[in-house]
Amino acid sequence: MTSVKEQEAIRKLMVFLQEWDSAHKVARSHMLNNFIKSNDGKTEPELELEFAQGASLFLARLTAWLRMTYTYNTCLNQLLKSIGIFLSAASGRRYLIEFLEIGGVLILLEILGLNHLKEEDKRECVKLLQLVANSGRKYKEFICESYGVRSLANFLATSNSAEAQEDVQVLLDSLGRGNPKYQNQVYKGLVAVLPCASPRAQQLALQTLVVMQDLLGEAPAILVEPVLGALCSVHLDVQYEAIQLLKALMACQVRPALLKGLVALLTPPGETAFTSCDETAKDPATLCPREPMLVYIQQAAAAKAIGVLAKESAEVAEELIQLKVVHGLMVAVGNLDHAASQRHASISLEYFVRTFPFVEECAKAALGHTLFQRFMDSPETWYTKMDPVQAEELASNIVDIPRDMARMQSAEG
């Protein structure tokens, strides 16, 4: 038989649940606030004590109301925080199971895709999904099976909240670990974020891909274009993360495609000489843009990346020479419209010249004795004294090093 104390606790629970069932929005909002204030951080035994062993009855009501009203934003933030108290309760695995059984994960993922809902509410959804993922591999798999990666990647790419984006990164990173069945899906989801318009999302996606690269060992071919595309970002932190990923990818089968793509970026399509401002001046109706063209930003970043990769590995440097990187770097040095291209290309070119004697000979022949000496004396600034004729000669250079010459020179050294 139940004691008088237990009977009183059950009576209070029934009164509370009846009050909830009959309450309208304002009253329920007040009840939720009180619940959050009184129960945040409680364990499963403590919640059961609070609800006379009937806490699941209240959780069922919360999830039912969430299912019916989430599209209308009715007390959504309070509802999600209240559910979070149950899902985060120590020893509260049964609350998690009850939440999953009513389709809780699917509701959370759907909320992420509703444009009219607030970012702070979506961030609460991400936190709840993180609680689910933290519960173990089968729960990570359940999120992925529910098209969770796609929803999270979309939200990362479109969110206006830096805090929410960081929470999504943590969750995607979690889904990519200890989840071998869906690791590739998470990886490809992050790759899909790279072409988005949010620099913060690009940066976070690239950071996570670098970490995941160690886990996967290989990389899909679809990665090549988005990673090279990230180099045209005007944000240096995005460029930096893209270069870090390129370094990690040098041990993968996509290396030849990445190196070929990088060298190609040094000579944008149709550009043999960079005289866009001179040409547009001929047509008064055409304005010469003050901001550098994206292809020039990408060119400068590619020149920088090439120097970083070459210095990391002599083998990579040799492959780049065979891909005619010296020609491409000279073209970039001759780009008077973008000083960053000239500077990064010059610094990278210096490394190849000092490392490979045959490259030094070719560079000396292309530049002439005086210009070559200026280059060697001050590779970071010499291009600032370059006149248009010299720049055009560089931009239209025809340096062509025989394919195996770099390997021979390296072996001799």
Side-chain angles (χ1 to χ4, degrees), residues 279-356:
E279 290 176 9
T280 53
K282 297 173 187 175
D283 182 1
T286 307
L287 295 176
C288 181
R290 290 178 179 271
E291 293 296 321
M293 293 169 57
L294 289 182
V295 289
Y296 292 170
I297 293 169
Q298 197 174 26
Q299 178 193 49
K304 183 178 181 179
I306 283 167
V308 170
L309 297 176
K311 289 169 188 173
E312 290 248 325
S313 164
E315 189 178 344
V316 168
E318 291 164 2
E319 290 177 35
L320 285 164
I321 292 173
Q322 292 170 23
L323 291 167
K324 302 186 179 180
V325 73
V326 176
H327 163 76
L329 289 172
M330 286 188 176
V331 170
V333 174
N335 183 2
L336 292 179
D337 288 337
H338 195 45
S341 288
Q342 293 181 289
R343 182 165 63 88
H344 290 305
S346 181
I347 293 169
S348 295
L349 181 62
E350 182 206 14
Y351 172 76
F352 286 99
V353 167
R354 293 193 184 278
T355 307
F356 298 95

Side-chain angles (χ1 to χ4, degrees), residues 359-373:
V359 174
E360 181 181 4
E361 291 174 29
C362 290
K364 194 180 293 184
L367 296 173
H369 177 75
T370 303
L371 203 57
F372 179 78
Q373 200 54 51

Side-chain angles (χ1 to χ4, degrees), residues 45 88 102 112 118 122 150 168 195 206 209 251 255 278 287 348 360 365 382-383 386 390-391 399 404 408:
S88 62
I102 62 94
L112 294 181
K118 297 176 182 176
K122 294 180 180 182
R150 184 173 64 187
V168 174
L206 287 164
L209 284 167
R255 180 167 94 182
D278 293 337
L287 295 176
S348 295
E360 181 181 4
W382 72 293
Y383 58 85
M386 192 181 296
Q390 293 169 328
V399 170
D404 292 326
M408 290 166 56

Side-chain angles (χ1 to χ4, degrees), residues 12-22 57-58 61:
K12 283 184 178 178
L13 173 62
M14 298 312 293
V15 169
F16 175 81
L17 294 178
Q18 286 169 7
E19 184 183 348
W20 174 269
D21 292 341
S22 60
L57 296 173
F58 186 46
R61 282 165 168 77

Side-chain angles (χ1 to χ4, degrees), residues 45 50 53 124 161 164 182 199 212 216 251 258 273 315 336 386 396:
E50 176 75 18
Q53 307 306 311
E124 286 300 324
S161 164
Y182 290 101
M212 286 198 69
L216 262 68
L258 286 169
E315 189 178 344
L336 292 179
M386 192 181 296
S396 57

Side-chain angles (χ1 to χ4, degrees), residues 43 107 170 179 198 202 230 243 299:
T43 64
I107 294 171
V170 170
N179 187 17
S198 166
Q202 290 176 311
I243 292 173
Q299 178 193 49

Side-chain angles (χ1 to χ4, degrees), residues 130-143:
Q130 182 69 67
L131 290 171
V132 176
N134 288 347
S135 298
R137 174 175 166 177
K138 70 176 182 177
Y139 297 99
K140 293 180 182 182
E141 290 180 350
F142 185 77
I143 293 173

